[in-house]
Amino acid sequence: MRIAAGLSLVVLGSGAVGHAVMTGLDTGIERVDPFKDMKNRPQAGHGINFLLVGTDGRDKITPEEKREYRLGGAPCHCTDTVMLVHLSADKERASVISLPRDSYAEVPAHQDLVSGTPHKAHPVKLNAAYAEGGPNLTVRTVEHMTRVKIDHYLEVDFTSFMKTVDAMGGVEICTAKAMHDTYTGLNLLPGTHRLTGGQALQYVRSRHVDGASDLGRMQRQQRFIAALIKQATGGGVLLNPVKFKEVSSTLLGSVRADKDFGSEQMLALGQAMRDFTPSSSEFASVPVGDASYPVKGIGSTVKWDEPKAAKLFEALRQDRPLAPARPGRAPRGPAAVPVDVPPKQIRIQVENGTRIDGLGGRVDAALRATGFDTTQAPATGASREVRRTVIAYDPRWDRSARTVSTALPGSELRAVTGQGRTVLVIAGADFKKVVPVRAEDPYQGEFGVVTGDQVVCGR
């Protein structure tokens, strides 16, 4: 296995052989010219900036797929997703910033893409820039809003998204709670799931899973990209020339891109990401000042918090990390499993249900180390013959109990009416360890940033 991996690295690392592997992929790319006749553009910074847009194009999707994945509606010919992706100059960090599609924007003067009618500058929702002026107006609008110069443009529709995920072998997503959306057909139980292309499309499109609507959907899209990076870097895609070419040809053959992005850039990107880990990627959304900013003739828009947004994009221009340095952060250990309730909000009393000396203290300390609010006063249980660890809880705090059971896999959940908010853990002879857990909404700092290792599935 070491020899195979080493040969793969040599193949992709060798300029001549690597280019031979990627030969011919450019022919399938549909080209656009998003930078045509653009003037007064922002000054280039350090690193490379991509504008990644997802459209709702579904022309090539089969009738069966449309029925299964609820894609039967009429497309709006607008951008469903808009993201700025920044690859640092040292090729060691990828920063992804989600721009809400309903963001209040002012498009520059332009000619209408459909009617040819000239338009003066006017306010719109950000996703409407594509409908009025295609990729060119979209790039102009984003550069005007962010003052970040775009180097490459990539446009993905529903079909290309599904094909690329399937070429990767699916992507692993984990969720701490059930996700149901009758509009997209998404139906996920708590736990870990490997999603196919169609299922992944349901996941990233769903807006009715919770009350967060489009802002919640952006967080799920960020989690998905983090999982995609983990799959590419940890699943052998970048180390296997044949697999890398398959994924690259699928992506390049079904996207629209600027004329300067092709197989050479794809190879360079793959080489740059070879040493990536989930923590190499960071994700943020533009800080929002008013999530329901009314505009006459347009409706409710998302108004950015201008001072905070300006600081965020300045950090991007300066090629600085967006993720905060977390004070007192311990050395990285095993990846933590996401849970619904933050451990620090859960009070736990531990009892030793065995004759093993000191077991209660070890369980208490281990639970406290992963963030639970233990009493630090373990007691002796009524029975000393408990074989399977028990989690006794009041049904009113069932979400807290499920979080504790995630940290203690294999334990028995036992509802006790009237017990109160303190969860009782009776350590049994089967206890081996406490699995690290974390809340789904980790510490995010000033810009709401998360790193990939905070949102991918733990092991």
Side-chain angles (χ1 to χ4, degrees):
M1 288 180 66
R2 290 192 188 96
I3 293 172
L7 288 174
S8 297
L9 281 171
V10 170
V11 169
L12 285 182
S14 164
V17 180
H19 284 86
V21 169
M22 302 294 284
T23 296
L25 296 189
D26 287 347
T27 56
I29 305 175
E30 183 178 348
R31 296 297 183 183
V32 295
D33 189 0
F35 309 118
K36 183 179 180 180
D37 299 328
M38 287 184 63
K39 300 175 182 178
N40 301 318
R41 300 186 65 191
Q43 185 177 355
H46 303 286
I48 304 173
N49 297 313
F50 298 80
L51 184 63
L52 174 63
V53 303
T55 68
D56 64 345
R58 59 196 80 186
D59 298 340
K60 301 175 184 176
I61 295 178
T62 66
E64 293 77 14
E65 289 173 328
K66 285 184 178 180
R67 283 194 298 271
E68 183 175 0
Y69 303 120
R70 314 284 174 92
L71 300 171
C76 69
H77 302 293
C78 55
T79 48
D80 206 45
T81 299
V82 184
M83 291 180 171
L84 262 179
V85 181
H86 174 79
L87 183 63
S88 63
D90 60 11
K91 306 295 192 297
E92 293 184 358
R93 184 182 68 258
S95 305
V96 181
I97 301 178
S98 296
L99 312 182
R101 67 178 189 173
D102 292 336
S103 295
Y104 173 85
E106 294 185 5
V107 294
H110 64 280
Q111 193 173 53
D112 191 282
L113 189 65
V114 178
S115 66
T117 305
H119 290 299
K120 296 180 180 179
H122 62 276
V124 295
K125 291 183 180 180
L126 178 57
N127 68 337
Y130 184 92
E132 288 192 22
N136 181 264
L137 187 60
T138 301
V139 170
R140 290 176 65 195
T141 303
V142 171
E143 286 195 346
H144 175 71
M145 296 172 74
T146 64
R147 305 311 302 164
V148 172
K149 186 176 183 181
I150 307 300
D151 300 299
H152 291 293
Y153 173 89
L154 291 176
E155 180 182 312
V156 182
D157 63 12
F158 287 173
T159 307
S160 55
F161 178 88
M162 293 167 67
K163 285 183 177 179
T164 302
V165 172
D166 284 335
M168 296 277 290
V171 173
E172 190 177 74
I173 289 293
C174 51
T175 176
K177 50 191 172 186
M179 290 187 174
H180 303 290
D181 189 333
T182 56
Y183 290 83
T184 64
L186 179 70
N187 186 15
L188 294 180
L189 295 174
T192 300
H193 310 269
R194 181 163 289 275
L195 305 185
T196 64
Q199 294 169 328
L201 186 60
Q202 291 175 312
Y203 180 81
V204 299
R205 289 184 63 227
S206 290
R207 304 176 67 197
H208 305 278
V209 171
D210 47 38
S213 190
D214 198 47
L215 299 180
R217 185 181 69 154
M218 288 193 308
Q219 290 182 338
R220 285 186 287 279
Q221 290 171 348
Q222 293 172 353
R223 285 192 176 96
F224 181 83
I225 290 180
L228 196 67
I229 292 173
K230 180 182 179 182
Q231 174 73 5
T233 57
V237 173
L238 300 181
L239 300 180
N240 185 326
V242 176
K243 188 68 174 177
F244 183 70
K245 181 174 182 178
E246 179 190 351
V247 173
S248 299
S249 61
T250 301
L251 176 63
L252 294 176
S254 55
V255 303
R256 303 176 78 199
D258 64 271
K259 61 183 178 61
D260 292 325
F261 187 84
S263 58
E264 286 194 15
Q265 287 70 33
M266 197 72 184
L267 180 60
L269 197 58
Q271 290 172 332
M273 292 180 63
R274 276 192 325 220
D275 296 325
F276 262 38
T277 65
S279 60
S280 302
S281 57
E282 53 183 11
F283 301 86
S285 300
V286 177
V288 172
D290 187 347
S292 301
Y293 180 69
V295 179
K296 186 177 180 180
I298 298 176
S300 179
T301 67
V302 175
K303 195 78 163 61
W304 295 359
D305 183 320
E306 295 296 341
K308 288 184 179 180
K311 290 177 65 177
L312 175 66
F313 294 121
E314 174 64 18
L316 206 68
R317 286 191 295 272
Q318 298 297 324
D319 199 23
R320 296 198 303 263
L322 306 178
R326 279 163 279 176
R329 184 177 181 182
R332 191 179 304 282
V337 179
V339 289
D340 196 12
V341 181
K344 65 181 180 181
Q345 295 180 9
I346 303 174
R347 183 71 167 170
I348 294 179
Q349 171 64 53
V350 176
E351 289 185 359
N352 185 354
T354 74
R355 299 183 184 279
I356 303 172
D357 291 340
L359 179 62
R362 293 202 301 275
V363 174
D364 183 287
L367 287 168
R368 193 166 191 84
T370 201
F372 289 100
D373 179 24
T374 66
T375 63
Q376 300 186 76
T380 301
S383 169
R384 306 298 299 277
E385 307 298 332
V386 177
R387 293 174 178 248
R388 182 183 176 192
T389 299
V390 174
I391 300 171
Y393 66 99
D394 191 307
R396 293 175 295 172
W397 282 273
D398 60 320
R399 290 168 59 239
S400 295
R402 288 197 297 272
T403 292
V404 178
S405 70
T406 301
L408 295 168
S411 54
E412 175 192 343
L413 280 169
R414 185 179 297 171
V416 180
T417 302
Q419 177 171 296
R421 68 177 291 267
T422 299
V423 175
L424 175 62
V425 172
I426 306 172
D430 66 335
F431 173 79
K432 292 182 175 60
K433 65 176 182 178
V434 170
V435 173
V437 296
R438 59 166 170 78
E440 277 203 317
D441 183 21
Y443 174 69
Q444 298 178 342
E446 182 180 8
F447 301 130
V449 181
V450 294
T451 51
D453 59 309
Q454 291 178 295
V455 293
V456 296
C457 301
R459 291 296 183 188

